[in-house]
Amino acid sequence: MKSAAPRMGGHRGREETAVSGEALPGPVPAKRRDDARWARLRRLLVRRRLVRMARRFGFSRVLGLCLLLPLLALRVWDPIPLEILRLKIFDLYQVAMPREASPQPLVIVDIDEESLAEVGQWPWPRTDVARMIDSLRAAGAAAVGFDVVFAEPDRTSPGRYADFLGDVDPAVIEALRALPSNDEVFADTLRQTRLVLGQSGYHRKLEGGPPPDLPKIPLAIIGNDPTPYLFHFPALVRNTPVLEQAAPGRAIFNLVPGRDGLVRRIPAFVVAEGQIVPSLALEMLRLATGGNAFAIKTDEAGVSAFVVGGVEVPTDRHGRIWMYYAESRRDLYVSARDLLKGRVPPERLAGRLVLIGTSAAGLFDIKATPVHDRIPGVEIHAQMLEMILSGQLLLRPHYALGAELFVLAAVGLLMIALVPVFGAALTMLLGALAAAALLLASWVLFTSEGLLIDVAYPLVGSAAVYTVLVFTNYLREEGRRQRVRSAFRQYLSPTLVDQLANDPGRLVLGGETREMTVLFSDVRGFTAISERLQDRPQELTRLMNRLLTPLTAEIMGRDGTIDKYMGDAVMAFWNAPLSDEDHAMNACDAALAMLQAVDRLNERLRREAEEGSGETMQLKVGIGINTGLCVVGNMGSEQRFDYSVLGDAVNLASRLEGQCKTYGADIILGETTASAIGPRAAYMELDLIRVKGKTEPQRIFALLGGEPAAEGSEIQKTVNGIWDLLTAYRFQDWEAATRQIGALEGHTLPHFDLAGFLALYRGRIEAFRRHPPPRNWDGVYTAETK
């Protein structure tokens, strides 16, 4: 029986297809369609879940993780700038707490400038050097080390001297050649002394090679082969063969500086010409302690330590000793000339390790360290010996990198977790506490254990993560501030706008009281200028703009705030809205700069008039400056207010500006302002005046110039003469005052009409002679005008 399954719209089912045996085309069956829908739905749900998780986790956290991982990788890579940063931090530790010098049996025989001047230029005859060694051996020196190399035969040897003789008896020449060379004499001395000859590593291969049959330095290796980790030199600059054969010890004295030229680490051993060679200080210790073998210890990270004289000294993985420097010690030095002359007491040398080197600048062995700008290289070897003998060692352990990576990861993850929860301020406080704790731990490890652990990079990396985390908050906050700026920039000063953007709560009426300096500036003869340009108002406007623009620039360039423009006048103040500890001096500097700006403008106006055959227009301003307590803040109505300043000090500054014409001064200062600037500017007293609207008299001063003017002898002489004039005037000694006026005639002062000032006082004196002041006159002049 055939299936009676219904068919809809000509669609065939599975049964029909199976019966007919034909592969008929058609739509996807319902079950498959449902499966596809569910798959799409599941993918959509997964994406939405991931989006929700991402939103819950926070975009800033994702960015923080994306930054933290590269920071960890960067530390493992350790590029040069990062290494230098780390080394500079370790340098600061040594600068903050240098090693305390300990009394150790050390002496430096210094081939100093005085020795070169007395004995002669270097190299000296080897016989003289042999005499020095004989003196050291006789005094009982424990071991001697040369921080110099004798790479060439002595040119003063008898045989070499004979080669340069001309027409001389052959018997004399043969007798000279029969004498032992200076190098052989020196070699005989070396054989009898526990002495180390210095060798220098060289950056490229040299012709020849080491002398045959040189005794090898005894060396034991505990662990793997250390040579892959040690510093390599292609060649050695050696001493002459006869000296190399005779010396009980040979060692390298190279001090390998860092990339910035500072010597921080010294290779204990190097590989040169395929052999492991000890450093000068180590070979001296080996000879002084009986000549036993060295031992070099290695582990998986590289070299870990070496043993000399039964003492184990830790190193970094490249076999370098971290130097812990003390201050330079001049008490270690004895002059080579004193040793040659027998002027060094034997007890000064007995039982000591003696290093022979140079502090002479011309012999090029001056180095720089984290603690010393200039130090002889031989003293660095001495400090290395002192460190080993006293046990005052530094070490950067092999686990330091892992510890620093862990600190960076821990602090970074902590920031990522906490910043979105607690906000930037609280997290910054927690981060600051963590940073302080890490810095303290690093410092304690340095001072107590001599361990060098870098916390600078973990802190810098954590700060970078913190910056990324607060970036989105910053953008949101910046948007809010920008809206405030846009609303108020058109009619408030830029400084005030920025403060309002940072603190919108200040958009209220009211103010605060603080000491401020106020400046008023006005154009002299502005009424006449306006009358001349009354038919050309646009030209008058342009002229005022050309004047007020540079004046404003000078004020704002010296931290001043423009309060308002009043026609041709400018009012400005200092110490608000931003604090200015030196507001009085800044106002005076601005006033002097304003006068210079006016002079420049007048010069341009003069040239323009000459070129255009027009009318010459010259401007002159008067400036009054006063300092005192003022009320400053937003003042006005609730509909419109301005940031301005009020107070008695403001009124007095305006009155002082009005007196500029009376006294012939371009700038007049109040007494408080003059007292605040002190000797940093040139000024002189003008009068004791009672300005209009005030009952208390005010002492006023004319500002003449800045500090260079204050140091001028001619200006000071004239100012002293004016003081004598004022003194005689106030004591009603009219004859003395008149004589002083005569003595001052012909003198000049900057920014001041001295002739007009003298005429003013001459007129007063003549009036007082006709009508003497009362007996209780206090010398105060009462101004009749503002």
Side-chain angles (χ1 to χ4, degrees):
M1 175 179 266
K2 292 184 177 180
S3 172
R7 295 186 301 227
M8 300 179 61
H11 288 217
R12 298 173 183 249
R14 286 178 185 269
E15 295 82 354
E16 186 175 351
T17 302
V19 172
S20 65
E22 299 176 358
L24 301 177
V28 178
K31 186 175 186 303
R32 293 178 63 186
R33 291 200 303 271
D34 292 343
D35 291 342
R37 292 193 195 100
W38 278 111
R40 287 196 298 271
L41 181 59
R42 282 195 296 271
R43 288 195 296 269
L44 179 61
L45 291 174
V46 169
R47 282 198 297 268
R48 289 180 176 177
R49 188 177 298 114
L50 290 175
V51 170
R52 285 197 300 269
M53 291 175 61
R55 289 176 178 173
R56 190 179 302 117
F57 187 74
F59 181 68
S60 60
R61 284 193 174 111
V62 174
L63 288 179
L65 283 175
C66 291
L67 178 61
L68 181 60
L69 294 177
L71 286 172
L72 293 169
L74 182 66
R75 179 61 189 88
V76 175
W77 177 31
D78 199 22
I80 292 175
L82 201 59
E83 178 187 5
I84 292 177
L85 171 65
R86 181 169 60 255
L87 293 176
K88 292 298 183 182
I89 295 297
F90 297 156
D91 292 349
L92 288 176
Y93 287 177
Q94 294 207 43
V95 172
M97 196 180 79
R99 178 175 56 84
E100 292 186 7
S102 59
Q104 299 297 333
L106 297 171
V107 169
I108 297 173
V109 175
D110 187 9
I111 305 170
D112 52 15
E113 299 287 357
E114 292 79 7
S115 299
L116 295 176
E118 184 169 326
V119 180
Q121 70 178 20
W122 185 263
W124 294 339
R126 304 284 155 80
T127 50
D128 288 345
V129 181
R131 287 195 297 113
M132 283 200 309
I133 302 304
D134 289 336
S135 299
L136 293 173
R137 185 178 65 251
V144 180
F146 273 99
D147 188 27
V148 295
V149 61
F150 303 97
E152 299 175 350
D154 190 345
R155 290 173 292 180
T156 63
S157 293
R160 283 183 167 265
Y161 181 69
D163 293 338
F164 292 101
L165 293 177
D167 189 12
V168 179
D169 188 349
V172 174
I173 294 178
E174 290 301 324
L176 288 173
R177 289 175 175 168
L179 294 173
S181 70
N182 291 355
D183 288 294
E184 291 172 346
V185 174
F186 187 27
D188 290 338
T189 301
L190 298 182
R191 293 185 185 95
Q192 305 171 45
T193 311
R194 287 191 293 272
L195 183 143
V196 181
L197 282 181
Q199 299 171 329
S200 177
Y202 201 64
H203 64 278
R204 60 178 175 83
K205 290 186 177 181
L206 301 173
E207 295 181 1
D213 303 326
L214 277 181
K216 291 187 176 180
I217 295 175
L219 177 65
I221 296 175
I222 303 173
N224 298 323
D225 181 13
T227 55
Y229 305 101
L230 299 178
F231 197 90
H232 285 245
F233 284 107
L236 279 177
V237 177
R238 297 176 178 270
N239 301 274
T240 60
V242 64
L243 299 181
E244 290 273 316
Q245 292 283 359
R250 295 163 303 282
I252 195 166
F253 55 64
N254 292 73
L255 302 173
V256 182
R259 291 184 173 90
D260 56 356
L262 299 186
V263 179
R264 298 182 180 88
R265 292 167 286 191
I266 298 179
F269 295 88
V270 301
V271 177
E273 296 179 344
Q275 297 182 350
I276 297 178
V277 183
S279 66
L280 178 61
L282 267 60
E283 180 66 357
M284 289 180 64
L285 282 176
R286 186 185 72 83
L287 291 182
T289 55
N292 295 324
F294 290 112
I296 299 179
K297 290 186 174 183
T298 61
D299 55 22
E300 295 79 4
V303 180
S304 61
F306 66 86
V307 180
V308 57
V311 177
E312 181 171 321
V313 180
T315 69
D316 68 4
R317 63 189 300 268
H318 298 293
R320 296 173 297 185
I321 297 175
W322 280 89
M323 291 298 295
Y324 189 7
Y325 288 103
E327 297 291 346
S328 181
R329 295 180 54 191
R330 296 305 304 173
D331 60 302
L332 293 178
Y333 289 79
V334 297
S335 179
R337 66 172 181 173
D338 292 337
L339 183 61
L340 284 170
K341 298 296 183 181
R343 296 195 290 257
V344 180
E347 59 271 16
R348 180 80 170 81
L349 305 170
R352 297 181 182 271
L353 299 170
V354 180
L355 282 156
I356 301 176
T358 180
S359 65
L363 297 183
F364 304 107
D365 193 31
I366 303 300
K367 308 296 182 183
T369 74
V371 178
H372 316 90
D373 292 332
R374 292 171 54 85
I375 184 173
V378 65
E379 186 174 346
I380 296 180
H381 292 291
Q383 294 220 18
M384 182 176 174
L385 284 168
E386 188 176 293
M387 283 172 48
I388 296 173
L389 292 173
S390 64
Q392 296 173 291
L393 302 170
L394 292 182
L395 174 64
R396 179 161 169 79
H398 295 166
Y399 60 78
L401 174 59
E404 292 158 7
L405 290 174
F406 173 78
V407 171
L408 173 58
V411 177
L413 290 174
L414 192 65
M415 289 287 182
I416 291 172
L418 295 183
V419 168
V421 177
F422 294 107
L426 181 58
T427 312
M428 178 178 285
L429 177 61
L430 295 176
L433 293 175
L438 290 173
L439 289 171
L440 179 62
S442 177
W443 176 254
V444 170
L445 289 174
F446 169 76
T447 55
S448 62
E449 303 295 332
L451 297 179
L452 297 172
I453 303 296
D454 173 32
V455 295
Y457 183 74
L459 294 180
V460 171
S462 302
V465 172
Y466 172 84
T467 302
V468 168
L469 291 171
V470 300
F471 182 68
T472 53
N473 287 339
Y474 168 79
L475 290 179
R476 186 167 54 250
E477 186 70 14
E478 184 62 22
R480 183 178 65 85
R481 293 175 182 175
Q482 189 59 43
R483 288 190 294 272
V484 174
R485 290 189 182 98
S486 299
F488 292 95
R489 191 179 297 276
Q490 300 302 319
Y491 53 91
L492 292 180
S493 68
T495 303
L496 181 57
V497 169
D498 289 337
Q499 286 208 347
L500 294 178
N502 294 330
D503 185 11
R506 297 189 61 180
L507 290 173
V508 294
L509 297 180
E512 58 178 324
T513 300
R514 61 167 67 183
E515 184 182 67
M516 300 176 62
T517 297
V518 183
L519 177 149
F520 279 85
S521 170
D522 192 16
V523 177
R524 292 282 162 262
F526 181 71
T527 302
I529 296 174
S530 300
E531 291 176 353
R532 291 167 63 183
L533 299 176
Q534 60 182 346
D535 297 331
R536 293 169 286 172
Q538 293 182 344
E539 185 175 341
L540 178 62
T541 302
R542 285 195 301 271
L543 179 63
M544 286 299 98
N545 290 339
R546 293 182 68 181
L547 172 65
L548 296 177
T549 297
L551 298 188
T552 300
E554 300 297 346
I555 291 170
M556 299 183 71
R558 289 161 179 80
D559 300 332
T561 298
I562 300 296
D563 186 298
K564 60 178 66 71
Y565 301 104
M566 299 162 287
D568 61 315
V570 180
M571 175 182 172
F573 53 81
W574 278 258
N575 202 30
L578 303 178
S579 296
D580 183 356
E581 296 295 332
D582 205 13
H583 49 88
M585 192 67 227
N586 286 337
C588 292
D589 288 340
L592 293 170
M594 290 166 68
L595 296 181
Q596 295 175 1
V598 172
D599 291 340
R600 292 192 295 268
L601 176 59
N602 285 331
E603 179 62 23
R604 288 196 297 270
L605 293 173
R606 184 189 61 78
R607 290 200 304 267
E608 292 171 4
E610 292 176 353
E611 294 170 359
S613 299
E615 184 180 14
T616 302
M617 191 77 66
Q618 295 291 287
L619 303 175
K620 185 176 179 61
V621 298
I623 300 173
I625 302 175
N626 189 45
T627 302
L629 290 178
C630 304
V631 176
V632 61
N634 297 317
M635 301 177 189
S637 66
E638 293 183 357
Q639 291 78 23
R640 175 69 182 269
F641 51 84
D642 290 320
Y643 189 79
S644 186
V645 60
L646 296 175
D648 188 59
V650 180
N651 299 331
L652 180 56
S654 176
R655 299 294 187 269
L656 295 180
E657 182 273 323
Q659 295 300 318
C660 288
K661 182 177 180 181
T662 302
Y663 288 91
D666 291 342
I667 306 170
I668 293 184
L669 309 179
E671 184 173 4
T672 308
T673 305
S675 176
I677 64 176
R680 294 178 293 169
Y683 55 89
M684 68 174 187
E685 185 175 347
L686 294 175
D687 205 350
L688 191 60
I689 185 173
R690 184 177 293 107
V691 298
K692 194 172 183 62
K694 291 184 64 67
T695 57
E696 292 296 324
Q698 301 291 325
R699 201 175 300 272
I700 62 174
F701 299 80
L703 181 62
L704 305 176
E707 190 168 0
E711 297 172 354
S713 58
E714 289 300 323
I715 293 178
Q716 191 60 49
K717 180 180 178 180
T718 304
V719 170
N720 291 338
I722 291 174
W723 172 249
D724 294 339
L725 164 62
L726 294 178
T727 302
Y729 171 78
R730 288 166 184 165
F731 279 98
Q732 303 181 39
D733 188 350
W734 312 128
E735 292 297 331
T738 302
R739 286 195 303 272
Q740 191 60 37
I741 290 174
L744 288 170
E745 288 179 344
H747 289 231
T748 59
L749 288 172
H751 308 303
F752 187 70
D753 179 12
L754 181 57
F757 177 78
L758 296 178
L760 171 69
Y761 271 91
R762 184 182 288 111
R764 288 187 187 178
I765 292 171
E766 291 174 356
F768 281 136
R769 280 173 167 167
R770 292 192 300 269
H771 305 286
R775 297 178 60 85
N776 61 347
W777 182 62
D778 54 5
V780 176
Y781 173 75
T782 301
E784 301 296 333
T785 62
K786 293 185 178 181

